[in-house]
Amino acid sequence: MGLFDNAVPGGNITKPLMIALGALLVGKMLSGRSAEQPDQPDAAAPPAPAPTEANPGDGGLLGGLGGLLDKLKNAGHGNVADSWVGTGQNRSINANDLGAALGPQVIREIAQRTGMDEGELLKQLSTALPGIVDKLTPNGQVPQQHQVASAFNS
């Protein structure tokens, strides 16, 4: 995968894991479905617009990298998330803590998309996310959503 080759211990990012990471960070990895699924669907709500050049993607299930980091911070894992963005050592996150931060609906959606068991998905995501986020934030800055999307396309 180029950019992400050494982001994961062992350097092996499987296709299901890339789909999972893309589902979290880049909406178009969701096979054209709207990535932002409300807890209670509103029948009167209009369908989400399709991504276009002006709107390169909806940012995945959590609103992109910033949304993922916010979820982690709101769940009490801000210092862990900050270590991934910062230039120092990346701190690890327990698979159960990651699952609690992301929420069962997000985990279920990604597991369905990837065909992975939820437990295995969380195990792989908890291993991969520190290095992936670190690679996406080389100067300690969260990139624009289109930059994250282009990293997944390279």
Side-chain angles (χ1 to χ4, degrees), residues 87-110:
T87 56
Q89 184 71 26
N90 294 329
R91 294 181 57 187
S92 62
I93 188 165
N94 176 288
N96 291 333
D97 290 341
L98 180 62
L102 298 179
Q105 182 179 354
V106 169
I107 298 305
R108 199 169 25 253
E109 174 80 14
I110 296 171

Side-chain angles (χ1 to χ4, degrees), residues 24-84:
L24 282 173
L25 303 171
V26 184
K28 69 179 175 174
M29 298 292 229
L30 291 171
S31 304
R33 278 186 59 189
S34 170
E36 190 77 24
Q37 297 292 327
D39 288 337
Q40 299 297 327
D42 181 356
T52 63
E53 287 302 313
N55 173 22
D58 54 23
L61 291 170
L62 302 174
L65 180 56
L68 169 66
L69 297 171
D70 287 344
K71 276 277 199 187
L72 291 167
K73 289 176 184 181
N74 291 338
H77 303 291
N79 49 357
V80 171
D82 288 343
S83 78
W84 304 348

